[in-house]
Amino acid sequence: MNVIETAIPGVYIIEPQVFGDARGYFFESYNQKEFDQKVMPVRFVQDNESCSSYGVLRGLHFQKGEHSQSKLVRVVKGKVLDVAVDIRKGSPTFGKYVSVELTEDNHRMFFIPRGFAHGFSVLSESAVFQYKCDNLYCPQSEGAIAWDDPELAIDWHIPASQVLLSEKDKRHPTLSQADYLFDYQTSLY
C-alpha cells in the first residue's frame, strides 16, 4: 500500500496496489500488519456500509470522549468527496480540513484519526460507502458540526440547493458554537 501524507498530520490517503488483467482486478483492501507499520497501530472493531444517491451529504459527525473513533473509509461503487475536519482545540490545524475524492476506480482509502469530524457528499448517481471504526458506535456520544459552517467553507462539489440531508444533519452547530470539542493536549489513543 502507498500511504500519502496530507496537509494535516495523522490524516492519510491510502492507495492499494491493484493487480489487473483481462479478468478484472484484485487488491488487498486491508492488511493489519502493513497498516500498523505505515499508518499507526489501530484495532478496528466495527465495519459499516451505506448506500446513498447523488447529493446526499452525511456529516460532519464524530463520537465524543471515550467513544471517539478512528475511521478507514472507502468507496466500492460510485464517487464521493470525503472530508476530515480537525476539531482538536489547540491543534495547529484546528478548524482546517482535508478532502479527497474516493471512487470505485481509484480504490483510494482515507484514514481519519480520533479528534476529527467526518463527512462525505455523493458525487455519482449512487455510491456504496464502507468504513472501518476502531471503537463501537455509541448513540449517546454522537457529536456533529454543521456541514455548511461558513468558517470552514468546505466545497462539497455539489450545489447547496441539491444537498440532501437527514433531519438531524440540518440542525448541527457551527464549529464555534459546538459544546464539545477534543483537546489537542489529551491523548485520544
Side-chain angles (χ1 to χ4, degrees), residues 52-61 118-122 144-149 156 158-172:
S52 306
S53 58
Y54 173 79
V56 167
L57 194 149
R58 297 180 187 264
L60 295 158
H61 304 144
H118 171 253
F120 67 91
S121 59
V122 178
I145 303 296
W147 69 277
D148 59 350
D149 182 337
W156 292 98
I158 51 177
S161 62
Q162 294 183 17
V163 169
L164 302 171
L165 300 166
S166 70
E167 286 305 311
K168 195 185 314 185
D169 283 348
K170 291 177 183 177
R171 299 187 304 268
H172 299 312

Side-chain angles (χ1 to χ4, degrees), residues 78-89:
K79 177 167 77 169
V80 308
L81 180 74
D82 204 84
V83 176
V85 179
D86 188 347
I87 58 170
R88 300 169 298 167
K89 284 183 183 177

Side-chain angles (χ1 to χ4, degrees), residues 59-92:
L60 295 158
H61 304 144
F62 61 93
Q63 290 273 284
K64 301 174 186 176
E66 67 183 275
H67 301 286
S68 64
Q69 297 176 322
S70 297
K71 296 178 181 176
L72 179 62
V73 302
R74 70 188 189 109
V75 167
V76 294
K77 179 181 181 236
K79 177 167 77 169
V80 308
L81 180 74
D82 204 84
V83 176
V85 179
D86 188 347
I87 58 170
R88 300 169 298 167
K89 284 183 183 177
S91 165

Side-chain angles (χ1 to χ4, degrees), residues 1-187:
M1 85 173 65
N2 180 32
V3 176
I4 302 166
E5 294 183 17
T6 68
I8 300 179
V11 179
Y12 297 99
I13 298 167
I14 300 163
E15 295 177 328
Q17 187 174 7
V18 180
F19 302 93
D21 60 26
R23 299 169 296 160
Y25 68 86
F26 168 86
F27 71 93
E28 194 172 76
S29 62
Y30 184 73
N31 178 305
Q32 183 74 55
K33 181 179 176 185
E34 195 171 3
F35 193 87
D36 288 354
Q37 291 170 348
K38 293 184 176 182
V39 178
M40 68 183 291
V42 173
R43 181 175 171 258
F44 292 110
V45 297
Q46 182 175 329
D47 282 4
N48 301 312
E49 180 174 297
S50 68
C51 181
S52 306
S53 58
Y54 173 79
V56 167
L57 194 149
R58 297 180 187 264
L60 295 158
H61 304 144
F62 61 93
Q63 290 273 284
K64 301 174 186 176
E66 67 183 275
H67 301 286
S68 64
Q69 297 176 322
S70 297
K71 296 178 181 176
L72 179 62
V73 302
R74 70 188 189 109
V75 167
V76 294
K77 179 181 181 236
K79 177 167 77 169
V80 308
L81 180 74
D82 204 84
V83 176
V85 179
D86 188 347
I87 58 170
R88 300 169 298 167
K89 284 183 183 177
S91 165
T93 55
F94 177 76
K96 305 291 185 209
Y97 71 91
V98 174
S99 64
V100 62
E101 279 192 7
L102 305 175
T103 75
E104 65 185 282
D105 296 322
N106 70 20
H107 305 290
R108 283 181 155 187
M109 291 169 269
F110 195 39
F111 177 71
I112 302 108
R114 295 177 181 190
F116 286 74
H118 171 253
F120 67 91
S121 59
V122 178
L123 307 178
S124 53
E125 186 177 326
S126 66
V128 176
F129 186 83
Q130 291 183 341
Y131 56 107
K132 296 180 164 308
C133 300
D134 73 340
N135 211 344
L136 299 175
Y137 170 72
C138 178
Q140 298 81 11
S141 293
E142 286 183 345
I145 303 296
W147 69 277
D148 59 350
D149 182 337
E151 288 184 44
L152 299 178
I154 298 170
D155 177 0
W156 292 98
H157 295 195
I158 51 177
S161 62
Q162 294 183 17
V163 169
L164 302 171
L165 300 166
S166 70
E167 286 305 311
K168 195 185 314 185
D169 283 348
K170 291 177 183 177
R171 299 187 304 268
H172 299 312
T174 63
L175 185 61
S176 64
Q177 298 167 333
D179 62 355
Y180 182 94
L181 297 172
F182 296 93
D183 179 359
Y184 182 65
Q185 301 303 321
T186 302
S187 174

